[in-house]
Amino acid sequence: MRISFTPRRRSLVQAGLLALGLSSTLAMAQAWPTRSINLIVPFPAGGTTDVLARALADKLSQSLGQPVVVESRPGAGATVGADYVAKAKPDGYTLLMGAVHHTIATSVYKKLPYDFQKDLAPVATVAMVPNVLVVNAALTPARNVTELVAFAKSAPAKLAYGSNGNGTAQHLIGTQFQASTGVELLHVPYKGSGPLTTDLLGGQVAMSFDTITPVLQHIQAGKLRALAVTTAKRSSVLPDVPTLEEAGLKGFDIGTWFGVLAPAATPKDVVARLNTEMVKIIRSPDFAQRMQAIGAEPLGGTPDQMAKQIADETTKFAKLVKDGKVVID
């Protein structure tokens, strides 16, 4: 039997279905979360992204009443983890601990399987961590930036610096450092700070421009020597270490921010709830104290503010990538 609808009845049916869909979405948002949430870290365990993710997940589990499980999915300069979350079901149960690296990857990689600004929805920025130029303490000819540059020029392409991977902030800082000083360094990409720090301590690479968090204890122990931070102002946990600007290199102001993102179609109510809970945590004295201990500065803010930051930095790094001719197939 064939059923036909008048235009008016068809409109009423469509409106009813739409209302039902909206009601289901609203109901889901109100009930959320009913099970554990996965927070994807696009680097191996032990690095700054992992440390921040676990600090946030610990508090978020308490405030949401459900476990927040940190899961590592490293590879390709943090793009493997980003792609996984971009393609995940947009239900609020799969989140990404993103970082400045993702705004760089947009320009560095010729093709990415996702669009960082279109396929992921900003939730909240968590913290900013200054990067620091460190050398193995055994590298005695390099006790400051001037001596490091002179030593590097005496052996072109011999001095190796490690990064968290091709297309990451550390890679780009190294590229800019070479352009500013006229030295030629050997770039050695790793999958994250954990394996990089191990090789830096072992002398497999001589230097890095990593975030403060994974190297701070080794600087304090005298195993690594901090020569300069890459931000416009000094770090509160390394007050005696100058900025690269103070060391004579102009135009350096790159820090590494970290923030949480969700798949683009995640319900706005869920994103709003996540933002509210995260900002409370980020601005709490307890979390601030925890961040201070690892050299991080708590941030917070709205999803719109994070979206603007991402858009601005994508444009900024596109120029640096072009000028440095950094391209990865």
Side-chain angles (χ1 to χ4, degrees):
M1 182 175 71
R2 183 178 178 183
I3 300 174
S4 61
F5 293 98
T6 64
R8 175 175 170 76
R9 182 171 293 180
R10 186 180 296 111
S11 297
L12 289 172
V13 170
Q14 290 172 342
L17 290 173
L18 178 60
L20 181 62
L22 290 174
S23 297
S24 298
T25 300
L26 182 60
M28 189 201 82
Q30 289 174 336
W32 182 92
T34 58
R35 55 184 173 84
S36 62
I37 297 163
N38 280 5
L39 179 57
I40 305 301
V41 171
F43 290 108
T48 305
T49 318
D50 181 65
V51 171
L52 287 173
R54 292 181 188 281
L56 180 66
D58 180 45
K59 295 293 184 181
L60 200 56
S61 295
Q62 298 173 30
S63 65
L64 292 176
Q66 293 290 345
V68 178
V69 181
V70 175
E71 179 184 343
S72 179
R73 285 183 176 267
T79 63
V80 170
D83 182 48
Y84 176 80
V85 177
K87 292 178 171 60
K89 188 176 180 180
D91 54 10
Y93 292 101
T94 305
L95 306 173
L96 172 71
M97 178 59 88
V100 67
H101 313 294
H102 294 110
T103 61
I104 298 170
T106 299
S107 298
V108 169
Y109 287 86
K110 289 182 178 179
K111 290 183 179 180
L112 284 175
Y114 63 92
D115 186 309
F116 190 61
Q117 293 189 66
K118 292 180 180 179
D119 297 335
L120 290 153
V123 177
T125 47
V126 177
M128 193 283 290
V129 183
N131 291 69
V132 58
L133 167 54
V134 291
V135 298
N136 187 294
L139 195 67
T140 52
R143 297 191 176 277
N144 54 51
V145 174
T146 301
E147 290 182 358
L148 174 65
V149 170
F151 182 64
K153 285 184 175 179
S154 70
K158 298 292 185 182
L159 201 62
Y161 81 95
S163 78
N164 284 356
N166 287 314
T168 59
Q170 293 84 358
H171 182 193
L172 198 59
I173 292 170
T175 300
Q176 189 176 356
F177 181 83
Q178 292 177 83
S180 299
T181 59
V183 303
E184 187 179 354
L185 303 173
L186 176 64
H187 175 227
V188 182
Y190 289 81
K191 286 187 176 181
S193 293
L196 164 58
T197 304
T198 298
D199 276 9
L200 183 59
L201 290 168
Q204 281 75 25
V205 290
M207 56 187 281
S208 79
F209 299 88
D210 209 347
T211 48
I212 287 177
T213 305
V215 296
L216 181 59
Q217 62 175 319
H218 304 299
I219 293 171
Q220 294 169 336
K223 296 178 180 179
L224 297 177
R225 186 182 305 118
L227 304 187
V229 294
T230 67
T231 43
K233 62 179 183 179
R234 296 191 182 196
S235 165
S236 59
V237 293
L238 295 173
D240 296 329
V241 178
T243 65
L244 279 173
E245 184 95 11
E246 291 173 326
L249 303 185
K250 304 301 179 183
F252 267 95
D253 184 16
I254 300 178
T256 299
W257 60 262
F258 300 86
V260 175
L261 301 99
T266 301
K268 290 184 178 180
D269 284 358
V270 171
V271 172
R273 171 85 188 281
L274 278 166
N275 176 267
T276 298
E277 299 297 342
M278 286 182 190
V279 171
K280 284 180 185 176
I281 293 167
I282 293 164
R283 294 180 178 172
S284 68
D286 181 53
F287 193 79
Q289 185 176 14
R290 199 165 176 177
M291 292 300 97
Q292 171 67 21
I294 61 173
E297 299 174 12
L299 293 176
T302 67
D304 285 346
Q305 288 172 328
M306 186 178 179
K308 185 179 185 305
Q309 178 183 15
I310 288 172
D312 290 346
E313 291 201 350
T314 299
T315 301
K316 168 187 170 182
F317 287 122
K319 184 179 185 306
L320 290 177
V321 167
K322 182 179 180 181
D323 291 347
K325 298 179 180 178
V326 182
V327 178
I328 300 168
D329 292 328

